[in-house]
Amino acid sequence: MSGFQYEAPATVEAAVGFLAGAKGNARVLAGGTDLLVQLRTGAANPDLVVDIKRIGELRQISGNAASGFVIGAAVTGAEIGEHKELAKAWPGFVEAMELIGSTQIQGRATPGGNLCNASPAGDCTPAMFAAGVVCVIAGPNGRREAPVEQIPTGPGKTSLAKGEFIVAIKLPARAKNSGDAYLRMIPRTEMDIAIVGAGVNLTLDASGACTAARVSLGAVAPTVLLVDAAAKALIGSKVDDAALARLAAAASAACKPIDDKRGTIEYRTKVAGVLARRAAVIARDRARS
Amino acid sequence: MAGYEGKAFKWVGTRPVRPDGVDKVTGRANYGADQNLAGQLTGRILRSPHAHAKILSIDTSKAEKLPGVKAVITGKDFPQMHRGVLPGDEGVNFHYLSSNIMARDKALYDGHAVAAVAATSAAIAEEALALIDVKYEVLPHVIDVDDALKPGAPLLHDDIFTTGVNPKPDKPSNTVQRVHMALGDANAAFKDADIIVERSFKSKTVHQGYIEPHAVVAEWCEDGQARIWCSSQGHFMVRALTARLLNMEVAQVRVMPAEIGGGFGGKTIIFIEPTAVLLARKAERPVRIVMSRDEVFRATGPAPGSSIDVKIGAKKNGMLVAAVGEFRFQAGAFPGSPLGPACMAAFGPYALAHVTSAGYEAVTNRPLCFSYRAPGAPLASFAVESVIDEIAQKLNIDPMEMRIMNGSKEGTQMVYGPKLKAVGNLECLKAIKNHPINKIPLGPNQGRGLAAGFWFNLGGQSSAVVNIAEDGTATIMTGSPDIGGSRASMALMAAEVLGIDYSKVRPIVGDTSAVGFCEITHGSRVTFATGMAIIQAAEDVVLQCRQRVAAMWEVDVEAVVWEDGHARPAGANAGEQKPLSLAQIAARAARTGGPLVGKAAINAGGAGPAFAVHICDVEVDPETGGVKILRYVASQDAGKAIHPSYVEGQIQGGAVQGIGWALNEEYIYGADGRLQNSGFLDYRIPVASDLPMIEPIILEIPNPGHPFGVRGVGEVGIVPPLAALANAISRATGVRMMDLPMTPPKILAAIDAKK
């Protein structure tokens, strides 16, 4: 690890100023649970690191289920897990965030960091895809918003322009009879990285028919996938066995995985369907309750 | 040796707090990396990125010019060792040992050290490594043992001629040795079998996974002496090997043992100590080297991967007729694989009239494969116990009854030579047979697996000193690093013999200049052999006390007995003397002959073999291949459990390491011969939530070779889990896994293939 410039500004504008003015490679530091590891292994060699944890608005959760929650980009997993109303409205998103690492990591890790690390195997990211999160992005030209699925573009790569960073993620207003869930396959029970992940978010009408759904998959393509065909398999159904089977098939069909040290193409493709189906059952049961 | 049979113990068998515990929980204990000397430099090692490459040149000039760099060394700075093994060197090839520590003409694995620097900071040392220009000519490499054994495989060394074959080959190869041991005639006896099952098994390299990376601080003195602080499983081993590799006299090297954060066999050899001494000599300042986790995985001494064929024949009633095991073990880039021990231990739980245990060891482009807890035995046992289980399945008989029917016991002839004395194999089996776990009904996708394990255990050389202080308290010292609570056990045994409170005994691990020679802490030998030395040193003190009191009382020494920490008259003839406590005798030491010092230096024979039997219940997710362990019970014969909590810790620790080996741990290499998972994220040792309570059952069948009946307990617990898991998975899924580790993708593929 060689030396780099470190800044910890107190405002979004100052952070944008540092990032926009950076000569060479700049990195945003939130919890650092990915970046610090990359610095130590030499995988990251930034010239500038901008720590955003001292920016007040990035450390807050506001809003509610009816209006939608706004979660600052530097809010940690532990803080998200302790937010009762958030956990009640979005249990799948909260569980996905809390799956990451250990208790110690939970005190640092952030959903924005998970998204911008742009690993296809990140756990919170598929849950945010399923939830339909909108990202608030600050940059040299002010603020803009973008759907979460537009952020990662490949392993370690995002669509954010020079000088831009995510200041908040917005969970949409929660319709009643909605539920979400995220499941991942890891060889151990915790402290591990997903071989496959699947997120499902759905809304039922009074008859129990699915009126809206979003299905996401992790670790089966260069980025987290939003699988419209899998969502369509649910919409209009009672989320019964036949619909679940169609969902599983659609999820598996959407996979474009690789063989690597963590799993095979065959395994990931099959288990993506299994996990999507199981997550849909959990989301459905949550929507019903 | 005093007779302790039938004696009620006061201290042995109790569970006091360990003497090293408070320092460890407060952070006061000094581990390998904690030593700090004035002017100390940071040492870093440059490692080969290639699996196999000729080193054409190493240019260190730029690194040497970097401000803050105080020394740079390469293989040229190491003394040239004799090629081959010299008589008296107990099979150690010092040329290979030296070449593993620092590559000479070739880099033989990804991670092989090629140069080292010492600098005033870690950052400067890292920068200097990047300035060293190594020119390589990359050569074809070989990673898998079966590939390495093939004619025409890329050749690692030009001086390995297979031993143990006739005629001796005239061409070098990767095949280090042929091991062959046999009883009866197994191949002929198979004709009497009603059923024969023959299977082939594969496994990957696994690492011991100790939490503390290797660390050393070395100091070179102007008078030609070296001082070394490090954590190891044997500082006398560190001293001997370092001295030899640097052409120094043994007594000119002093090694101070640090606390050790896990070894499991992986710290029974050296990797960085001579490098640190050479850097310190060149820099004229102390040097500390601490390995990173990446270096630990890439360049220490993991357990070998294997390729094994096992063929076993039985009668319809389950009686075994004959067995043959053919074990092919990876060495790393240099010989050292535990093939022989694997052949010895493979069929240990069974009384077999016709058995052959044989195999080959082949060098591969991997880090040195070395010792890991019952070295070699888990792999051999995995194959044998899987085939035994399959025979029981095919014959539809109870796998427990089949093991009891064929179980080795006192008098059983072992394939490696001796006949067993009193051992606890059948007792371990029956303890599991009678355990309530067998009555718990299994649900869908659940299975119950059973496996037995054997390990022969070691004795060997140990020294001990018992120093009685002026107030009758005792400091006891050995040279055996404490890797599993042995200081507590030493103190308990000393307290028992001396008849004083455990709290009055302070156990110390002395440095190489403070105490007599002790072999490394391995082979489950310390509580047995070093414990025997402690017992004898304490008995030496007792004898001296009796002699001094006899002189005071003007009687023969036979007229003075030692009971409950006091010298007493043996009977009425000895006179009406008041008993004298150890404290009272110590207070008069100056007037009765000087300090009370008990000593023992022994070569302990009579190590009692250890047996273990494990049973577990698993549930396999048929759609993901994930395995959940529901229940786990492990029985083991301890001979005599000196400190039962630490015996239980050994049983549980062995089981957990075996579970990791069975399910997830493996070295993963790319086609380029580079290790892809040199960290704890993708090298998956079990985490706490992966495990049920490992319920230990201690059995005590005394070892006749030890005064208290002790037999080693540290290793055998890792032998049964691999097959116990495989057998449980087989019964849960109907598929038999013969390729370790049994990862979810492999299990799911096997389930799907069966459909």
Side-chain angles (χ1 to χ4, degrees):
Chain A
M1 188 190 346
S2 51
F4 53 79
Q5 183 189 349
Y6 170 84
E7 300 292 348
T11 66
V12 168
E13 292 67 30
V16 168
F18 284 120
L19 291 168
K23 295 183 184 66
N25 181 15
R27 291 291 298 266
V28 175
L29 173 68
T33 58
D34 288 304
L35 181 58
L36 295 190
V37 177
Q38 292 164 8
L39 290 172
R40 280 179 180 275
T41 62
N45 283 296
D47 303 288
L48 168 69
V49 170
V50 178
D51 185 343
I52 59 170
K53 284 192 292 296
R54 296 191 195 167
I55 303 172
E57 71 165 284
L58 269 61
R59 301 278 300 110
Q60 289 166 8
I61 301 175
S62 59
N64 55 49
S67 67
F69 289 97
V70 180
I71 301 171
V75 172
T76 66
E79 289 163 328
I80 288 168
E82 287 169 2
H83 198 290
K84 289 199 174 70
E85 203 185 338
L86 184 59
K88 190 159 179 263
W90 295 96
F93 162 75
V94 171
E95 284 166 3
M97 187 63 215
E98 291 200 299
L99 280 176
I100 297 169
S102 59
T103 302
Q104 292 90 332
I105 294 293
Q106 282 292 311
R108 305 285 300 184
T110 67
N114 193 247
L115 178 63
C116 292
N117 188 52
S119 162
D123 288 309
C124 193
T125 302
M128 287 193 279
F129 272 49
V133 156
V134 171
C135 299
V136 181
I137 300 158
N141 302 319
R143 297 196 181 199
R144 67 182 178 97
E145 295 192 350
V148 65
E149 56 268 27
Q150 288 180 9
I151 303 299
T153 55
K157 292 193 170 65
T158 70
S159 59
L160 298 176
K162 182 174 164 86
E164 286 190 326
F165 73 105
I166 293 178
V167 294
I169 61 163
K170 291 166 71 174
L171 285 159
R174 199 68 169 132
K176 63 178 183 176
N177 300 329
S178 294
D180 70 336
Y182 171 76
L183 292 174
R184 65 174 181 177
M185 180 62 209
I186 54 172
R188 290 185 290 203
T189 46
E190 60 179 338
M191 304 283 287
D192 214 331
I193 189 163
I195 308 177
V196 187
V200 174
N201 176 35
L202 53 75
T203 301
L204 306 178
D205 66 14
S207 74
C210 178
T211 57
R214 286 168 71 92
V215 177
S216 63
L217 295 174
V220 294
T223 65
V224 171
L225 298 179
L226 190 65
V227 188
D228 288 336
K232 286 202 181 88
L234 296 177
I235 294 169
S237 81
K238 293 274 177 82
V239 196
D240 51 16
D241 286 352
L244 290 166
R246 289 197 302 275
L247 160 77
S252 290
C255 294
K256 291 169 281 186
I258 54 169
D259 279 327
D260 70 3
K261 61 191 172 187
R262 294 177 186 138
T264 59
I265 292 170
E266 189 187 10
Y267 184 79
R268 288 183 154 119
T269 304
K270 178 164 187 197
V271 173
V274 171
L275 294 188
R277 191 188 75 226
R278 292 179 180 181
V281 169
I282 297 170
R284 177 196 70 193
D285 293 348
R286 283 173 171 165
R288 284 176 181 169
S289 66
Chain B
M1 211 177 287
Y4 294 91
E5 281 134 51
K7 180 180 181 294
F9 289 112
K10 182 173 179 189
W11 290 104
V12 165
T14 62
R15 301 173 183 246
V17 168
R18 62 199 299 158
D20 46 308
V22 172
D23 276 357
K24 283 178 175 166
V25 299
T26 56
R28 197 170 277 122
N30 276 317
Y31 288 85
D34 291 332
Q35 183 68 22
N36 276 298
L37 300 177
Q40 181 173 292
L41 302 171
T42 298
R44 284 278 194 277
I45 295 170
L46 184 67
R47 297 183 179 279
S48 167
H50 304 297
H52 194 190
K54 196 181 282 183
I55 298 172
L56 302 175
S57 65
I58 304 178
D59 182 353
T60 59
S61 56
K62 281 184 193 156
E64 282 160 13
K65 284 181 198 132
L66 185 70
V69 171
K70 301 297 178 188
V72 183
I73 61 169
T74 68
K76 289 190 175 125
D77 293 272
F78 283 73
Q80 198 59 44
M81 294 287 109
H82 173 83
R83 281 180 168 261
V85 179
L86 289 171
D89 281 350
E90 295 183 353
V92 180
N93 183 318
F94 285 95
H95 171 65
Y96 286 161
L97 183 63
S98 185
S99 301
N100 187 45
I101 288 167
M102 193 63 70
R104 303 300 157 81
D105 49 338
K106 285 209 293 187
L108 290 162
Y109 53 93
D110 166 31
H112 198 168
V114 294
V117 302
T120 50
S121 77
I124 294 171
E126 291 287 343
E127 204 180 333
L129 290 188
L131 292 174
I132 297 174
D133 182 19
V134 186
K135 295 259 189 303
Y136 295 101
E137 178 192 334
V138 177
L139 300 170
H141 63 271
V142 61
I143 291 290
D144 180 79
V145 62
D146 288 326
D147 293 339
L149 285 163
K150 284 178 190 151
L155 197 63
L156 274 74
H157 301 277
D158 59 11
D159 60 350
I160 287 181
F161 296 87
T162 314
T163 61
V165 293
N166 201 6
K168 191 174 188 298
D170 55 6
K171 283 193 186 133
S173 72
N174 295 324
T175 308
V176 177
Q177 60 169 333
R178 171 72 175 164
V179 168
H180 187 275
M181 47 189 82
L183 277 180
D185 186 344
N187 284 325
F190 278 119
K191 70 176 184 324
D192 298 326
D194 297 322
I195 180 174
I196 295 172
V197 172
E198 184 170 12
R199 293 281 175 259
S200 294
F201 302 84
K202 290 278 271 191
S203 76
K204 301 282 175 48
T205 299
V206 298
H207 198 272
Q208 298 85 352
Y210 35 81
I211 299 303
E212 183 198 23
H214 298 251
V216 59
V217 172
E219 182 175 44
W220 178 265
C221 313
E222 286 70 10
D223 59 1
Q225 297 187 63
R227 283 189 284 269
I228 297 170
W229 290 259
C230 66
S231 90
S232 78
Q233 288 177 245
H235 41 298
F236 285 91
M237 172 275 299
V238 173
R239 179 178 74 160
L241 297 181
T242 303
R244 176 64 174 267
L245 293 184
L246 300 181
N247 283 339
M248 298 174 70
E249 291 175 347
V250 172
Q252 302 308 313
V253 181
R254 182 176 177 189
V255 183
M256 269 58 69
E259 290 290 350
I260 181 167
F264 314 108
K267 292 176 183 169
T268 57
I269 191 165
I270 55 173
F271 299 100
I272 50 177
E273 286 78 4
T275 304
V277 173
L278 283 182
L279 285 170
R281 186 169 79 182
K282 200 160 183 177
E284 299 182 332
R285 283 168 67 171
V287 172
R288 176 166 64 194
I289 299 176
V290 180
M291 277 190 168
S292 66
R293 182 62 56 188
D294 172 74
E295 288 180 289
V296 170
F297 275 110
R298 288 165 69 207
T300 59
S306 66
S307 169
I308 297 174
D309 308 322
V310 165
K311 179 181 180 184
I312 298 177
K315 291 286 194 190
K316 277 192 189 118
N317 66 356
M319 279 304 291
L320 297 178
V321 171
V324 174
E326 182 71 33
F327 306 97
R328 293 173 295 274
F329 273 30
Q330 292 163 0
F334 302 94
S337 194
L339 171 63
C343 291
M344 292 163 69
F347 296 99
Y350 301 100
L352 288 160
H354 301 283
V355 55
T356 300
S357 210
Y360 289 102
E361 172 190 9
V363 288
T364 55
N365 292 110
R366 299 168 167 275
L368 182 72
C369 287
F370 215 64
S371 298
Y372 179 18
R373 208 168 195 159
L379 294 171
S381 174
F382 163 60
V384 170
E385 290 295 291
S386 293
V387 172
I388 293 281
D389 198 61
E390 189 175 337
I391 291 174
Q393 283 171 309
K394 290 213 157 96
L395 293 174
N396 197 25
I397 59 176
D398 181 349
M400 172 61 79
E401 294 307 330
M402 186 170 157
R403 285 178 171 83
I404 292 173
M405 186 191 308
N406 292 288
S408 55
K409 52 184 184 277
E410 186 167 0
T412 296
Q413 174 68 51
M414 303 305 276
V415 69
Y416 61 91
K419 279 188 179 168
L420 290 178
K421 293 182 179 159
V423 291
N425 186 25
L426 296 180
E427 288 81 355
C428 287
L429 285 163
K430 286 169 188 164
I432 294 295
K433 180 184 173 182
N434 296 326
H435 191 276
I437 187 174
N438 295 288
K439 298 208 170 66
I440 299 172
L442 294 172
N445 303 312
Q446 295 183 356
R448 182 165 291 150
L450 175 72
F454 164 82
W455 183 243
F456 41 84
N457 287 334
L458 299 178
Q461 300 178 81
S462 287
S463 308
V465 180
V466 174
N467 285 307
I468 305 300
E470 306 89 289
D471 61 356
T473 57
T475 303
I476 67 172
M477 180 158 55
T478 78
S480 293
D482 175 358
I483 67 171
S486 61
R487 271 169 293 186
S489 296
M490 298 301 134
L492 283 168
M493 287 187 270
E496 190 74 47
V497 175
L498 295 172
I500 61 176
D501 264 34
Y502 170 80
S503 65
K504 310 276 186 213
V505 183
R506 290 306 301 178
I508 301 291
V509 181
D511 73 59
T512 54
S513 298
V515 66
F517 179 81
C518 283
E519 284 179 33
I520 46 179
T521 297
H522 73 156
S524 301
R525 65 174 290 276
V526 168
T527 304
F528 167 75
T530 305
M532 201 187 292
I534 281 286
I535 291 169
Q536 291 184 19
E539 288 172 340
D540 184 17
V541 168
V542 167
L543 177 62
Q544 292 176 43
C545 288
R546 287 169 56 219
Q547 287 167 336
R548 294 180 192 212
V549 171
M552 280 187 254
W553 293 346
E554 297 179 337
V555 297
D556 290 341
V557 68
E558 288 76 22
V560 181
V561 295
W562 191 261
E563 282 174 6
D564 202 20
H566 289 74
R568 298 175 196 275
N573 293 345
E576 296 274 315
Q577 303 288 354
K578 273 194 181 165
L580 287 171
S581 69
L582 182 61
Q584 289 170 314
I585 299 166
R588 298 179 204 183
R591 281 170 283 147
T592 58
L596 278 167
V597 179
K599 295 192 294 278
I602 63 172
N603 189 352
F611 286 86
V613 177
H614 292 193
I615 192 166
C616 66
D617 292 348
V618 303
E619 181 170 327
V620 181
D621 185 330
E623 291 187 314
T624 66
V627 174
K628 183 178 185 195
I629 305 173
L630 305 169
R631 288 171 281 275
Y632 202 106
V633 185
S635 67
Q636 188 173 321
D637 173 21
K640 177 68 197 173
I642 301 297
H643 193 305
S645 297
Y646 301 151
V647 174
E648 289 163 359
Q650 293 297 321
I651 294 172
Q652 291 169 323
V656 171
Q657 289 189 312
I659 288 167
W661 199 334
L663 295 183
N664 282 309
E665 293 182 36
E666 60 177 317
Y667 268 46
I668 301 170
Y669 280 90
D672 56 3
R674 289 179 188 170
L675 185 60
Q676 294 187 341
N677 60 333
S678 57
F680 280 138
L681 178 58
D682 282 305
Y683 184 89
R684 291 182 170 79
I685 62 175
V687 296
S689 56
D690 293 339
L691 302 162
M693 175 65 182
I694 311 286
E695 185 185 330
I697 303 172
I698 301 174
L699 297 160
E700 296 188 325
I701 292 83
N703 169 21
H706 186 276
F708 292 171
V710 168
R711 60 181 85 233
V713 296
E715 293 170 286
V716 74
I718 199 175
V719 181
L722 286 63
L725 267 295
N727 295 344
I729 289 167
S730 166
R731 285 159 192 273
T733 62
V735 297
R736 184 155 285 285
M737 303 301 296
M738 291 177 280
D739 185 4
L740 294 182
M742 299 177 281
T743 60
K746 277 192 210 164
I747 291 175
L748 188 63
I751 291 171
D752 287 348
K754 192 190 122 206
K755 278 177 188 164

